[in-house]
Amino acid sequence: MSDRRQEASGISGQYPLVQNMTVTEGGTVNMTCRVEYNDNTSLQWSNPAQQTLFFGDKKALRDNRIELMHASWSELTISISDVTLTDEGMYTCSLFTMPVRTAKAYLTVLGVPEKPEIDGLTKPALEGDQITLTCMTQGSKPAADLRWFRNEKEVKGAKEVNASGKTFTVRSSLQLHVDRNDDGVAYTCKVDHVALAQTPQQATEVLEVHYAPHVKIINSLVVPQEGQYLKLECMSKGNPSPDPVMWTKDGGELPDLDRMIVEGRELTFTSLNKTDNGTYRCEASNHLGTSSAEYVLYVYDPNAIGQHGTDHALIGGVVAVVVFVTLCLIIVLGRYLARHKGTYLTNEAKGADDAPDADTAIINAEGNHAHAEEKKEYFI
């Protein structure tokens, strides 16, 4: 019974053991075949075309890329370097017992995608243009994934995959409505693929957008006064840069170039006076258009500003006095009316003692009043 168990164990241990392998195109892979029990029987590796590569330690196929790593009664390991896509397929390890026992291992070869290329970029682009950027990579297996980034922020493109033999060609397009905010922006196309591990392939294009100028004027003083220093800066933004800018006063040339100094985009007044009053215009141009901005200058007399301050204080005091007097008059008038109303009510009450209605009461009140006056005269 023990002999049968030992024989069964020996038979099961004579089946070769292999495993599937994956390698990146251009890399190196080791194919290993093992047996737990071998009664001096040879092992053999064959390729997907059923060509014998090694029989034991004997090389059978003339291919310098294939080398023997280890050969024994229990293991046969070979190495394949510079792997190509044609090396992919089912490899067979055979143990030449009676009958022959085999095990199969599949070798997967990953196609490395080529460095991507971006097409469709117009240099320079004009503000308002509609452009389509296209990113393409070839040679990936399985098909690669393409991702777009505007600077560091990911944006979505439209992907297209086409098979080309064992590999794939992948395209992704990105449609843009170009404006001045795209000037200097980097658009990057990244390739993600299992064969690239931690180093994705990518391509980057920086947009150059031409647009008409936009102009505004910044002044250094809120209330310009005589004798002060004033700087007006013409902030103009455009591409191409609108240099130089042109300064004018009231539609004509600057009148006093000794005190009005133009340096680049700045107009400087060394010492302001009343003759500087007027409308100053800054104009900037490039081949796409012209833009301008205006600044109205009024130079104040420092003494007048102080006097105006005194006048305002005086006027404020007068207004306060008028308001106070008005309130006093309203109070006095209110008290007078209240007293008068009380007298009227008292007289009406006296006439109502013997009166059948309100009208008679009023008449009686008036009569009593007249009678009182008569009595008063009699006693005098």
Side-chain angles (χ1 to χ4, degrees):
M1 186 71 174
S2 60
D3 292 339
R4 288 184 179 179
R5 190 180 296 112
Q6 183 177 357
E7 182 181 356
S9 176
I11 292 174
S12 63
Q14 282 190 283
Y15 281 95
L17 303 173
V18 297
Q19 65 180 31
N20 297 330
M21 301 297 292
T22 299
V23 62
T24 300
E25 183 181 13
T28 299
V29 63
N30 290 340
M31 306 289 292
T32 299
C33 178
R34 292 187 178 90
V35 289
E36 295 178 2
Y37 171 77
N38 191 349
D39 54 357
N40 297 333
T41 304
S42 298
L43 291 169
Q44 171 186 292
W45 269 115
S46 302
N47 65 14
Q50 297 303 311
Q51 297 172 313
T52 301
L53 303 178
F54 270 89
F55 185 79
D57 59 357
K58 302 294 189 293
K59 188 173 185 176
L61 184 67
R62 292 183 178 181
D63 189 335
N64 295 331
R65 299 178 306 123
I66 303 175
E67 298 179 356
L68 178 66
M69 301 300 293
H70 181 77
S72 68
W73 295 113
S74 61
E75 179 183 329
L76 178 59
T77 300
I78 62 174
S79 173
I80 307 173
S81 59
D82 296 329
V83 175
T84 66
L85 294 176
T86 58
D87 292 322
E88 184 175 81
M90 193 72 75
Y91 286 74
T92 304
C93 176
S94 303
L95 176 63
F96 281 88
T97 57
M98 291 300 293
V100 176
R101 295 181 174 88
T102 62
K104 296 183 180 297
Y106 196 88
L107 176 63
T108 300
V109 181
L110 302 176
V112 181
E114 297 178 0
K115 182 178 175 64
E117 296 181 355
I118 297 177
D119 294 323
L121 184 63
T122 303
K123 289 191 175 182
L126 301 181
E127 185 173 32
D129 283 354
Q130 293 275 2
I131 65 175
T132 301
L133 301 181
T134 302
C135 179
M136 182 184 72
T137 181
Q138 303 181 72
S140 61
K141 177 181 172 296
D145 187 30
L146 295 179
R147 300 163 62 199
W148 284 101
F149 292 84
R150 185 184 190 273
N151 289 335
E152 300 299 323
K153 183 179 180 180
E154 186 169 359
V155 291
K156 188 173 180 59
K159 181 180 174 183
E160 176 187 344
V161 179
N162 294 296
S164 178
K166 289 188 175 184
T167 62
F168 296 89
T169 298
V170 184
R171 292 181 177 84
S172 181
S173 58
L174 186 66
Q175 293 188 344
L176 303 176
H177 180 75
V178 179
D179 62 27
R180 63 187 60 200
N181 294 324
D182 286 312
D183 187 38
V185 170
Y187 281 89
T188 300
C189 174
K190 290 185 179 180
V191 182
D192 286 342
H193 193 265
V194 62
L196 298 176
Q198 302 300 321
T199 56
Q201 298 272 23
Q202 66 181 49
T204 300
E205 291 287 351
V206 178
L207 264 64
E208 180 185 357
V209 181
H210 282 189
Y211 53 93
H214 175 73
V215 175
K216 66 178 180 178
I217 296 175
I218 298 178
N219 56 299
S220 62
L221 293 175
V222 177
V223 182
Q225 302 177 33
E226 287 185 291
Q228 286 186 325
Y229 172 94
L230 172 65
K231 181 174 71 174
L232 301 180
E233 185 176 0
C234 181
M235 303 293 291
S236 61
K237 185 178 180 182
N239 193 14
S241 181
D243 290 321
V245 299
M246 183 175 68
W247 286 98
T248 58
K249 178 187 178 185
D250 298 330
E253 296 182 355
L254 298 178
D256 190 349
L257 296 180
D258 291 331
R259 291 184 309 102
M260 300 180 187
I261 303 172
V262 177
E263 293 181 344
R265 301 172 182 271
E266 298 179 353
L267 172 59
T268 302
F269 299 80
T270 57
S271 180
L272 290 171
N273 62 48
K274 289 288 187 178
T275 62
D276 296 326
N277 290 344
T279 301
Y280 291 83
R281 180 185 180 92
C282 170
E283 185 175 285
S285 302
N286 61 18
H287 70 281
L288 294 174
T290 300
S291 178
S292 63
E294 292 184 346
Y295 172 78
V296 178
L297 174 61
Y298 181 82
V299 180
Y300 291 87
D301 183 349
N303 297 324
I305 292 178
Q307 183 63 40
H308 288 161
T310 303
D311 293 344
H312 289 316
L314 180 60
I315 292 172
V318 171
V319 170
V321 171
V322 170
V323 171
F324 177 75
V325 171
T326 302
L327 290 174
C328 291
L329 291 175
I330 291 173
I331 293 171
V332 172
L333 180 61
R335 294 183 65 182
Y336 171 77
L337 291 176
R339 292 181 64 185
H340 182 73
K341 181 177 180 182
T343 302
Y344 171 78
L345 290 175
T346 302
N347 291 333
E348 183 179 0
K350 289 180 179 179
D353 290 340
D354 300 321
D357 53 34
D359 292 337
T360 306
I362 294 172
I363 295 171
N364 291 341
E366 291 176 352
N368 290 335
H369 181 68
H371 182 67
E373 291 293 332
E374 289 176 358
K375 287 182 178 181
K376 184 178 183 181
E377 291 176 359
Y378 174 78
F379 282 110
I380 288 173

